């Protein structure tokens, strides 16, 4: 929805914004990152929404990017992760960091979010480890890693072709790319990414 931001209410982790659409104000729950991305009060905003409908409630959630909304949906697919916890995770971690944490099994990083204990963080990591690569979380923070772009995308494809899960392949190629620099060729990327994925 394209609208005007008329106010915001922040709380720890996530918060709310009031969005004016044609003279009607909508209270939208959002992560801290989305609230920061919306800009100043009174400005025009584009926001991606998700409506939660329950027996006795309607809740509208807003996201600055469609990718964040996709991650929200993925997180809430885990038992025990409701909207509040998912927004807290998206407030605490950049999408690329979240994807890397899932790919490497780093539940401690996910447990940094408000309301996420060690057991829940482990469940999230376990259930989403294989699904995270499909959303291209690293590709979202580093477009060069998308499956259709240049040596980085080719390297991810090569690793997945060798049997690595998409999340593992993306994380390994991202680490190799950081170490080798922007001009690295496909052979060098694949060799180093294989070493990193095998650790």
């Amino acid at each position: 929805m394209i609208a005007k931001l008329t106010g915001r209410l922040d709380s720890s982790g996530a918060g709310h914004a009031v969005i004016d659409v044609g003279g009607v104000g909508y209270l939208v729950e959002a992560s801290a990152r989305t609230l920061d991305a919306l800009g100043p009060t009174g400005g025009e905003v584009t926001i991606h929404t998700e409506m939660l409908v329950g027996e006795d409630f309607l809740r509208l959630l807003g996201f600055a990017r469609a990718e964040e909304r996709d991650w929200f949906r993925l997180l809430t697919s885990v038992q025990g992760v409701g909207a509040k916890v998912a927004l807290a995770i998206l407030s605490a971690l950049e999408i690329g960091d979240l994807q890397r944490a899932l790919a490497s099994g780093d539940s401690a990083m996910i447990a940094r979010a408000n309301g996420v204990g060690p057991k829940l963080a482990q469940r999230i990591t376990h259930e989403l480890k294989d699904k995270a690569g499909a959303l291209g979380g690293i590709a979202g923070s580093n477009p060069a890693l998308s499956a259709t772009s240049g040596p980085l995308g080719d390297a991810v494809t090569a690793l997945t072709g060798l049997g690595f899960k998409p999340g593992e392949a993306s994380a390994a190629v991202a680490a190799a790319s950081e170490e080798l620099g922007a001009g690295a060729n496909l052979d060098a990327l694949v060799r180093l990414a294989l070493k990193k994925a095998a650790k």
Side-chain angles (χ1 to χ4, degrees):
M1 99 178 33
I2 299 174
K4 189 163 85 174
L5 178 65
T6 59
R8 65 179 80 225
L9 306 163
D10 294 327
S11 63
S12 62
H16 295 83
V18 178
I19 308 292
D20 180 339
V21 183
V24 178
Y26 292 90
L27 182 66
V28 178
E29 293 179 59
S31 71
R33 293 184 192 281
T34 287
L35 291 174
D36 288 343
L38 290 180
T41 300
E44 189 173 279
V45 296
T46 299
I47 192 161
H48 303 270
T49 58
E50 177 89 352
M51 181 171 282
L52 302 182
V53 180
E55 201 171 294
D56 56 354
F57 69 86
L58 285 174
R59 292 166 68 188
L60 190 62
L61 294 101
F63 305 93
R65 297 181 300 161
E67 183 186 20
E68 186 185 12
R69 182 180 59 192
D70 293 342
W71 275 93
F72 173 84
R73 291 172 177 166
L74 186 62
L75 286 166
T76 54
S77 72
V78 177
Q79 182 183 356
V81 178
K84 184 177 179 181
V85 170
L87 289 176
I89 292 169
L90 292 169
S91 294
L93 297 172
E94 291 279 357
I95 288 172
D97 293 334
L98 174 58
Q99 199 275 345
R100 280 188 285 277
L102 291 171
S104 63
D106 185 359
S107 60
M109 182 176 279
I110 294 168
R112 292 179 190 172
N114 288 339
V116 181
K119 285 185 179 179
L120 182 55
Q122 286 174 352
R123 184 184 310 138
I124 292 168
T125 304
H126 176 73
E127 289 191 26
L128 299 185
K129 185 171 185 169
D130 296 336
K131 296 179 184 176
L135 282 183
I138 292 179
S141 60
N142 182 356
L145 283 183
S146 70
T148 58
S149 63
L152 295 173
D154 291 343
V156 171
T157 301
L159 263 66
T160 55
L162 291 170
F164 289 95
K165 295 182 172 92
E168 294 171 332
S170 295
V173 171
S177 174
E178 283 178 23
E179 190 171 314
L180 294 172
N185 65 31
L186 178 60
D187 289 342
L189 276 171
V190 171
R191 277 197 298 270
L192 185 56
L194 279 170
K195 288 178 185 173
K196 292 188 176 294
K199 286 182 180 177

